[in-house]
Amino acid sequence: MRATLYSTVFTVLVVVKATLFAAPPAVTKGRTFDGHPDLSGIWQTMSTANWDLQDHQAAPGPFFQLGAVGAIPSGQGVVEGGEIPYKPEAMKQKQENFKNRWKDDPEVKCYMGGIPRSNYMPYPFQILQTPRTILMDYEYASSNRVINMEKKPLEASVDTWMGTANGHWEGDTLVVDNVGFNDESWFDRAGDFHSDQLHVVERFTLADADHMNYEATIEDPQVFTRPWKISLTLYRHVEKNAQLTEFKCVPFAEELLYGDVRKKTK
Amino acid sequence: MKAQLFLASSLAVGGLAFAQNTNTPKTAWGDPDLQGVYTTDDLNGVPLARPAQYGTRRYLTEQEFAERAKNVNSEKSTIDTGIRPTTGFWALVKDAGVDGAAAPAQWIEYAKHASRLTSLVVDPPDGRIPALTPEGEKRRAAQPNYYNMRPASWEDLSSYDRCITRGVTGSFFPSIYGNGSEILQMPGMVAIRYEMIHETRLIPLDGRPHASAGLRSYMGDPRGHFEGNTLVVETTNFIGGKVDVGGVPYSEDLKLVERFTRVAPDTIDYQVTITDPKTFTAPWTVAFPIRQEPGYRIFEYACHEGNHAMHNRLSAARAEERHEAAKAAQPDQK
């Protein structure tokens, strides 16, 4: 007991001395001061997962006036095994969502993207990593989330769009456990959806300096028969002057949301 | 174990530094450490511009302070019992003929410790916002009015009503709720996250120039550097004419210079100088402390997602118009 106390005091003194008088600690390239992989930077997917998590072929958009500009690109799916294991009633809901996607998709209304969708929308997001918290700041709709990295987990005391996130490191992989979601966000523009029982476990692993593997295991017993997984690559923005710009989309959605109660001019 | 050591060392260094009053704590890479979750709750009830009675005095007298502390305590106990107060902001709302009853008591944040400040504006020395330019006056008169009971569309309402943004100063200045902010740091970058309409500013410290004038935004383009222990942030490239500061929509030439200095383990002194020659005849400065309040947590403010008020206000206005039109069509019933 006493020995422990002495050694603690000694260690603290040594650390204090070292911190006050020594040069900053050496840091390995690609790692932070606490030794973890440095995920900080601006990231974006090149996949078309935001159009549809599953395989999809090219299709016309909703407005012929936009021609090719408004068309939907084809793309390979990101769901492991290809299928999303909907319960039968939930599958009907998904199909209903798909039919009404141009007015019911939360993205059309400029609502927050939720998790995991925010990570593969066609906008960059920036990671700022500290030992106690990791910030993920999304360009789309100025949404953001802070992942708690402290040992004591943050409790999800209210349901939110972006959820409550607790993270930890498994080797060189950042694992983020997300709960506390509302039932309003979608997974893509094809109507894939979830309930407020959603539980998402994400895994961020650097493949090399500029590529990151992203996986999300999705669990929601109200909607799916079993957990399922998506997996895609995030690419780093390497331009010297790269920075997140601003996409506040509310003004682009107001006519759609409130046009029915605008005063009609004769 | 590693975590414990890290904690022990940072506590020891922090305590030592403040005890000797020589230095603020530093991050592992040597920048002054400003990190933490802060709130401006304690400034609730401090006016932006100084009431004339205080002259050039920045702080309340003991007697004035006792009076404010009494009000703060009564507001706190009113809210704690679940009743909406009738003082401060709520008195203003009532005087304007609006029943602000939609907001339940638990929405409201209140001061835990009464402030001694007479106003948030500290320069000019009289604490008043400088006179407006003629263009500024015109913009103030033309801005959307919160108390407009007949908005023709959302464009007759403010950026705040529309949940677009409150801008840099509006996100940070004390309000009735959403007063939290969080500072995070890494080498070469500071992030400031605001609870109010979930804004985040990412502030590069690497000396890069501002984005070109063609790239404008509601939250502006911030660049930061440290002067001693003070983080200095200069922000430009604003979208003009949409968001207000001091009750006037600012122009695209707005420049903000903010200074953040840790003065105690739980307190940062904040200062912002507002320069906008197209709007104000002189620069002016606001200064106040922000504090870490134990247990304060930033929650997601899904303002736009939950903006039922917008549809309700517009549909109420249309319903009143229909009612009036119906009445006008039946003159014999008068």
Side-chain angles (χ1 to χ4, degrees), chain B residues 187-258:
Chain B
M189 177 78 67
V190 176
I192 308 177
R193 182 173 167 250
Y194 303 105
E195 187 166 13
M196 183 57 77
I197 323 194
H198 57 84
E199 303 282 4
T200 302
R201 299 164 75 198
L202 296 163
I203 304 161
L205 306 175
D206 58 4
R208 67 174 73 188
H210 279 291
S212 75
L215 186 60
R216 298 188 170 276
S217 57
Y218 289 100
M219 292 300 279
D221 191 49
R223 296 291 181 265
H225 65 275
F226 282 100
E227 285 176 12
N229 286 323
T230 299
L231 170 67
V232 182
V233 182
E234 189 190 291
T235 309
T236 59
N237 295 52
F238 288 99
I239 295 171
K242 300 274 190 191
V243 181
D244 83 281
V245 58
V248 195
Y250 51 75
S251 84
E252 67 282 6
D253 287 352
L254 173 70
K255 183 172 105 174
L256 299 178
V257 177
E258 296 163 279

Side-chain angles (χ1 to χ4, degrees), chain A residues 6 33 44 128 143 157 221 258:
Chain A
Y6 278 135
F33 281 88
Q44 190 170 350
L128 190 150
S143 49
S157 41
Y258 314 126

Side-chain angles (χ1 to χ4, degrees), chain A residues 12-265:
Chain A
V12 167
L13 285 177
V14 168
V15 173
V16 167
K17 192 162 178 271
T19 317
L20 285 180
F21 302 110
V27 60
T28 320
K29 195 171 154 38
R31 295 204 172 250
T32 57
F33 281 88
D34 51 351
H36 295 298
D38 188 0
L39 311 184
S40 294
I42 303 177
W43 301 94
Q44 190 170 350
T45 184
M46 287 212 220
S47 75
T48 54
N50 189 55
W51 278 108
D52 193 337
L53 288 176
Q54 294 173 283
D55 290 339
H56 50 279
Q57 60 192 50
F63 304 109
F64 72 85
Q65 293 91 337
L66 290 175
V69 170
I72 301 168
S74 62
Q76 288 177 303
V78 298
V79 180
E80 269 188 18
E83 288 311 305
I84 301 176
Y86 279 105
K87 289 178 154 179
E89 331 80 78
M91 182 51 117
K92 271 186 221 147
Q93 179 64 53
K94 185 243 146 105
Q95 284 157 352
E96 196 64 21
N97 289 349
F98 182 82
K99 238 189 289 171
N100 299 317
R101 64 196 187 282
W102 302 115
K103 68 175 183 62
D104 285 352
D105 180 358
E107 186 186 353
V108 169
K109 305 178 206 176
C110 179
Y111 291 171
M112 286 185 231
I115 300 298
R117 186 176 185 181
S118 294
N119 295 314
Y120 49 81
M121 291 181 83
Y123 303 87
F125 69 100
Q126 186 153 353
I127 298 180
L128 190 150
Q129 187 175 329
T130 86
R132 282 177 294 182
T133 49
I134 295 178
L135 168 70
M136 297 200 178
D137 187 25
Y138 301 93
E139 183 165 303
Y140 169 76
S142 301
S143 49
N144 61 74
R145 61 175 171 154
V146 165
I147 298 157
N148 170 48
M149 297 297 290
E150 309 262 22
K151 278 224 168 67
K152 187 174 174 233
L154 196 61
E155 182 200 346
S157 41
V158 287
D159 285 356
T160 59
W161 287 79
M162 300 301 282
T164 299
N166 287 291
H168 67 275
W169 292 94
E170 282 177 15
D172 282 346
T173 297
L174 171 66
V175 182
V176 185
D177 192 279
N178 301 274
V179 290
F181 292 101
N182 64 29
D183 61 359
E184 297 194 52
S185 72
W186 283 9
F187 294 131
D188 55 21
R189 293 172 180 166
D192 287 305
F193 75 108
H194 60 84
S195 79
D196 61 4
Q197 299 304 299
L198 177 66
H199 174 212
V200 181
V201 179
E202 303 167 277
R203 300 175 68 86
F204 297 84
T205 316
L206 283 178
D208 60 38
D210 299 327
H211 301 88
M212 184 152 61
N213 295 330
Y214 175 73
E215 287 180 5
T217 302
I218 293 157
E219 195 181 1
D220 184 343
Q222 278 197 24
V223 178
F224 309 112
T225 58
R226 57 171 170 84
W228 51 286
K229 198 161 110 181
I230 60 168
S231 138
L232 50 90
T233 302
L234 296 167
Y235 294 75
R236 185 192 291 277
H237 281 247
V238 296
E239 300 88 350
K240 252 207 160 87
N241 63 348
Q243 67 179 62
L244 282 198
T245 52
E246 190 175 83
F247 187 66
K248 291 192 183 299
C249 46
V250 172
F252 314 140
E254 287 170 311
E255 185 72 55
L256 174 83
L257 291 169
Y258 314 126
D260 64 322
V261 282
R262 173 203 267 280
K263 186 171 186 172
K264 304 281 181 290
T265 45

Side-chain angles (χ1 to χ4, degrees), chain B:
Chain B
M1 184 58 185
K2 202 189 221 173
Q4 280 170 349
L5 258 186
F6 179 79
L7 188 66
S9 68
S10 50
L11 280 179
V13 172
L16 198 62
F18 278 112
Q20 293 179 343
N21 198 22
T22 51
N23 228 331
T24 49
K26 297 281 200 287
T27 60
W29 56 96
D31 282 345
D33 191 344
L34 303 171
Q35 297 183 94
V37 174
Y38 300 87
T39 166
T40 57
D41 274 353
D42 285 350
L43 298 152
N44 251 321
V46 179
L48 179 64
R50 190 176 304 154
Q53 71 202 72
Y54 300 119
T56 55
R57 244 183 329 118
R58 259 181 90 167
Y59 301 100
L60 301 177
T61 63
E62 282 306 322
Q63 197 188 344
E64 290 161 349
F65 174 69
E67 187 62 25
R68 181 181 288 166
K70 211 175 88 189
N71 287 341
V72 161
N73 278 335
S74 98
E75 186 155 297
K76 173 181 181 317
S77 54
T78 313
I79 292 169
D80 281 349
T81 40
I83 301 165
R84 201 157 38 82
T86 52
T87 55
F89 170 84
W90 304 98
L92 289 177
V93 171
K94 206 159 160 262
D95 291 347
V98 179
D99 182 11
Q106 71 267 19
W107 275 27
I108 307 164
E109 291 175 16
Y110 50 79
K112 307 287 188 299
H113 314 84
S115 167
R116 290 177 182 271
L117 293 176
T118 53
S119 62
L120 301 179
V121 177
V122 297
D123 187 65
D126 66 358
R128 314 287 293 179
I129 298 168
L132 302 185
T133 62
E135 189 192 327
E137 285 288 4
K138 225 183 276 173
R139 242 185 281 123
R140 172 160 71 182
Q143 72 181 318
N145 176 6
Y146 175 80
Y147 301 110
N148 180 356
M149 292 294 105
R150 291 287 178 90
S153 90
W154 47 94
E155 282 168 331
D156 290 345
L157 298 165
S158 74
S159 295
Y160 184 19
D161 293 317
R162 295 162 71 183
C163 292
I164 301 169
T165 185
R166 300 195 68 186
V168 170
T169 53
S171 298
F172 202 32
F173 288 5
S175 178
I176 54 160
Y177 58 66
N179 286 327
S181 59
E182 180 170 13
I183 301 178
L184 299 106
Q185 289 170 257
M186 62 174 237
M189 177 78 67
V190 176
I192 308 177
R193 182 173 167 250
Y194 303 105
E195 187 166 13
M196 183 57 77
I197 323 194
H198 57 84
E199 303 282 4
T200 302
R201 299 164 75 198
L202 296 163
I203 304 161
L205 306 175
D206 58 4
R208 67 174 73 188
H210 279 291
S212 75
L215 186 60
R216 298 188 170 276
S217 57
Y218 289 100
M219 292 300 279
D221 191 49
R223 296 291 181 265
H225 65 275
F226 282 100
E227 285 176 12
N229 286 323
T230 299
L231 170 67
V232 182
V233 182
E234 189 190 291
T235 309
T236 59
N237 295 52
F238 288 99
I239 295 171
K242 300 274 190 191
V243 181
D244 83 281
V245 58
V248 195
Y250 51 75
S251 84
E252 67 282 6
D253 287 352
L254 173 70
K255 183 172 105 174
L256 299 178
V257 177
E258 296 163 279
R259 304 173 70 85
F260 299 78
T261 313
R262 180 161 256 169
V263 293
D266 65 350
T267 308
I268 283 178
D269 270 354
Y270 173 74
Q271 192 184 307
V272 54
T273 298
I274 295 148
T275 307
D276 182 0
K278 280 188 182 154
T279 306
F280 302 104
T281 50
W284 50 290
T285 299
V286 165
F288 53 79
I290 57 173
R291 228 168 45 79
Q292 295 185 4
E293 182 71 40
Y296 191 100
R297 182 172 160 189
I298 292 180
F299 285 99
E300 177 183 282
Y301 181 20
C303 180
H304 168 61
E305 291 79 354
N307 194 359
H308 302 290
M310 179 59 80
H311 202 276
N312 290 347
R313 288 174 76 173
L314 294 173
S315 82
R318 300 296 81 79
E320 284 184 340
E321 284 161 6
R322 279 196 305 275
H323 179 69
E324 281 170 8
K327 236 168 127 184
Q330 298 172 310
D332 48 331
Q333 284 198 355
K334 266 185 192 161

